[in-house]
Amino acid sequence: MTMAKRSSQFWALFLFSIGVFMAQLDNGIISAALTTINRSFDVSANWGAWGITIYTLGLAISLPIVGKLSDRYGRKKLFIVEIALFGIGSLLVALSPSFGFYLFARVVQALGGGGIFIIGSSHILSTVEPDKQAKYLGLLGAMNGIAAVLGPNIGSLLLDLTGKWHVLFLINVPIAIVLFILGLRKLEESSDPSPGRLDLIGTIILSLGILSLMLGLTNIDVDFAESLTRPNVWGYLLGGVVLITILLFFEGKMERNQSGDPILPVRLIKQPRYLMVLLIGTLSGGLLAAMIYIPSFTEQVLGIAAENSGYWMTPLALAAGIGAGLGGMLVSKRGPVFTVIMSGLIAAIGFMLFPLWLETRWQFIIASAIAGVGIGVILGAPLNILATEGLKKDKGSALASLSLLRQIGMTLAPAIYAGFIARAFNNMGTLFAEKFPGILQQNLANVTLSAEAQAELAQIGQHMSSGGSGVSESELSGMLQAIQDPTLKQVLADSVGEITKTAAQTGFSGLYWTAAILGMAIIVGALVLIPLRKKSPQDLEVTEETV
């Protein structure tokens, strides 16, 4: 390799890595400042959540469009455009005079940040030697994974230091300016030129279809089955399915007539191999979503203070970065399917340790690190290699569809996960009736009560026995407030805390068992992929040549 080519690859990897880190960091950094932002604009928490929701919708819509445009017009050009949009959007967010303008600025941010990972990955796959692609994609995936997990931590730190949420977005502006200038000077162009006119009608239908699907998914709440009966869920989902179906017919006709450049890679979607890769990508999104609940788990089960719970994502973040690099190495040495299998296995083991083994903080560090390695392995190289295998063109479109399905998995899984926690806490009345008296007796055996405290305890016991089926959580809370003796009050508070912890453990056990099952499903998908790969790449090349 010549010195010039080595320098070009270094700059490409460096610029794309920083761009990916910056865009993905912003997706999580806002969560630390959400309450402060809502207070600043005097909006409710429900309205304030749209600052995250609308960013997610913008990402989902931009992914396939940017992927196609980068293939057609060049990855360097689109990288420059994306960085410019993200920088402008960040500045507009920081300077927002109203909540409506703030939401508009978040859309601009999303349109700029959504495609950077796709552009970087497709550029690597088009310009880097095959034996180095996996390593480079692994590094890109590491930046993606670490930024996603570190976002809330960095957001909390900056907010603590400055007290102003605007800083979280203003820091993007100088970084974007530097990336813009270096991108113009250092990046080489790569593209897959396509004949015919750009598919504007298909682009509009695809955007509306994805918007409809994502709105339906984001409206699903903890009661999954009940959510599906609501018009703002099934209506949007049905509308999205209808629009995507219309688009498939439209794009198929355009592809056969060669009258344009379809926005949707229909011939790829017809490939069973590619469909299986998309399914695995969706499952991997569900795995990624399990990370969201780490702070809640540490707070409710391990007793970490709420203000410090976000920092306990650090072991998983570091492990995900290591895993992404490891994934690139495994792809180079053992192939992408073996790497996907290892990812699913490691992640499943890590998440299974949560309900089966985890009791202390050091055990949490081990379990979360193992899960993080498994998640990191699948973040960068293996699925990207599989998605573009056998392709001579449309690499950006293939990667964009994969990222879109991963985003759908990340949007759908939290509703399923949260259902386990909600059901566990809804069952606390039964827990209080069945287990509270025994726990209280155990804790009372360790203290000596005054005569006044014993009298208060006797009144509580009489009240509980007269209730028949036991005392509710709200009744206990009221009695707790009325108690005068500090020792008895502490004993009761500790006993209530044990019941709450038991409910949390039950809910999180269901959540992390589900994540472990997703890991096993990824293994099954990879095994199914083995026979599909043996014939599909050759068939795909023939199809490309005849289209």
Side-chain angles (χ1 to χ4, degrees):
M1 184 193 302
T2 65
M3 186 68 71
K5 187 169 181 60
R6 187 180 295 113
S7 175
S8 174
Q9 290 185 359
F10 165 79
W11 279 109
L13 183 63
F14 175 76
L15 293 175
F16 287 133
S17 295
I18 299 301
V20 164
F21 186 85
M22 179 179 69
Q24 188 60 50
L25 188 72
D26 196 82
N27 202 14
I29 204 172
I30 189 177
S31 62
L34 203 55
T35 302
T36 306
I37 293 172
N38 295 347
R39 194 181 303 120
S40 172
F41 290 117
D42 193 23
V43 296
S44 66
N46 288 338
W47 269 108
W50 273 95
I52 294 176
T53 301
I54 205 162
Y55 189 85
T56 303
L57 295 175
L59 286 178
I61 292 171
S62 68
L63 284 171
I65 297 173
V66 171
K68 186 64 182 180
L69 293 177
S70 68
D71 284 338
R72 182 181 178 94
Y73 295 113
R75 283 124 199 167
K76 175 179 178 177
K77 293 186 183 70
L78 262 294
F79 177 76
I80 298 301
V81 171
E82 288 282 280
I83 289 296
L85 277 175
F86 189 79
I88 292 170
S90 298
L91 181 62
L92 292 177
V93 170
L95 300 179
S96 295
S98 66
F99 186 69
F101 191 91
Y102 160 78
L103 292 181
F104 164 75
R106 288 288 286 167
V107 173
V108 175
Q109 259 196 316
L111 294 178
I116 295 176
F117 182 75
I118 307 303
I119 295 169
S121 299
S122 57
H123 180 86
I124 287 170
L125 289 165
S126 297
T127 61
V128 175
E129 298 85 351
D131 62 326
K132 293 183 178 179
Q133 289 176 358
K135 180 176 72 173
Y136 285 13
L137 289 172
L139 291 172
L140 212 58
M143 301 299 287
N144 202 29
I146 292 173
V149 181
L150 287 182
N153 293 337
I154 295 176
S156 298
L157 179 63
L158 289 173
L159 201 59
D160 288 343
L161 291 175
T162 66
K164 297 183 180 296
W165 64 265
H166 311 77
V167 176
L168 305 184
F169 302 97
L170 283 175
I171 61 171
N172 292 330
V173 178
I175 299 173
I177 292 172
V178 172
L179 289 177
F180 184 90
I181 295 171
L182 290 177
L184 284 173
R185 299 187 58 185
K186 299 294 185 179
L187 279 182
E188 289 187 2
E189 189 61 278
S190 68
S191 62
D192 301 325
S194 300
R197 67 182 184 276
L198 183 64
D199 181 16
L200 292 177
I201 295 177
T203 301
I204 294 172
I205 299 174
L206 178 63
S207 300
L208 292 175
I210 292 173
L211 179 62
S212 185
L213 284 175
M214 295 300 290
L215 280 172
L217 292 175
T218 53
N219 285 334
I220 295 175
D221 58 26
V222 293
D223 192 338
F224 191 85
E226 190 276 332
S227 296
L228 295 178
T229 66
R230 298 202 306 265
N232 68 340
V233 175
W234 68 259
Y236 281 125
L237 293 178
L238 179 62
V241 170
V242 170
L243 286 168
I244 296 299
T245 303
I246 293 172
L247 179 65
L248 286 172
F249 282 107
F250 178 79
E251 299 290 271
K253 183 178 179 181
M254 174 176 284
E255 190 174 74
R256 288 191 298 272
N257 294 338
Q258 298 184 1
S259 59
D261 183 19
I263 189 70
L264 197 69
V266 178
R267 60 189 174 74
L268 287 179
I269 295 173
K270 292 177 182 178
Q271 294 286 329
R273 176 195 62 80
Y274 185 69
L275 287 175
M276 183 53 63
V277 173
L278 293 182
L279 175 60
I280 296 172
T282 307
L283 295 173
S284 73
L287 274 184
L288 284 167
M291 299 190 304
I292 298 170
Y293 296 89
I294 291 291
S296 298
F297 176 86
T298 59
E299 181 183 347
Q300 296 176 27
V301 176
L302 297 181
I304 305 296
E307 59 270 20
N308 297 325
S309 60
Y311 297 120
W312 284 78
M313 291 185 75
T314 304
L316 192 147
L318 296 175
I322 294 170
L326 177 62
M329 293 170 55
L330 283 175
V331 170
S332 298
K333 294 182 177 180
R334 300 297 300 272
V337 171
F338 175 84
T339 305
V340 172
I341 291 173
M342 291 304 298
S343 169
L345 180 61
I346 296 170
I349 291 172
F351 285 125
M352 280 192 290
L353 289 176
F354 277 74
L356 289 178
W357 177 66
L358 200 159
E359 293 181 357
T360 63
R361 296 182 182 187
W362 70 266
Q363 289 174 320
F364 165 80
I365 293 173
I366 293 173
S368 63
I370 293 172
V373 170
I375 291 170
V377 167
I378 208 169
L379 272 178
L383 290 184
N384 289 347
I385 295 288
L386 289 169
T388 56
E389 193 172 39
L391 289 182
K392 296 178 180 177
K393 61 178 183 177
D394 288 340
K395 293 183 177 68
S397 295
L399 293 174
S401 298
L402 173 62
S403 290
L404 175 61
L405 267 294
R406 180 177 279 155
Q407 186 68 50
I408 288 175
M410 290 180 67
T411 305
L412 181 60
I416 299 172
Y417 291 152
F420 288 101
I421 300 174
R423 284 189 291 273
F425 278 99
N426 288 339
N427 195 42
M428 280 185 66
T430 303
L431 283 176
F432 272 108
E434 295 177 352
K435 296 188 175 184
F436 184 78
I439 292 173
L440 179 59
Q441 284 300 119
Q442 285 182 335
N443 290 337
L444 285 171
N446 298 321
V447 298
T448 301
L449 297 180
S450 64
E452 292 81 3
Q454 290 179 0
E456 285 187 300
L457 180 61
Q459 290 180 342
I460 293 174
Q462 187 176 10
H463 181 85
M464 291 176 68
S465 61
S466 65
S469 60
V471 66
S472 69
E473 181 186 3
S474 58
E475 288 175 315
L476 266 175
S477 178
M479 287 189 287
L480 192 62
Q481 294 297 322
I483 291 173
Q484 300 298 314
D485 186 84
T487 302
L488 178 59
K489 195 167 191 174
Q490 186 61 52
V491 168
L492 277 170
D494 291 342
S495 301
V496 171
E498 288 185 47
I499 292 291
T500 304
K501 180 179 177 179
T502 300
Q505 286 175 321
T506 301
F508 281 107
S509 291
L511 188 161
Y512 288 118
W513 270 118
T514 304
I517 291 170
L518 289 180
M520 300 305 292
I522 286 174
I523 296 174
V524 173
L527 293 173
V528 172
L529 198 56
I530 294 174
L532 297 178
R533 289 179 72 221
K534 291 180 179 178
K535 58 178 181 178
S536 212
Q538 291 79 9
D539 295 343
L540 191 56
E541 288 181 9
V542 171
T543 305
E544 280 189 331
E545 291 168 0
T546 57
V547 170

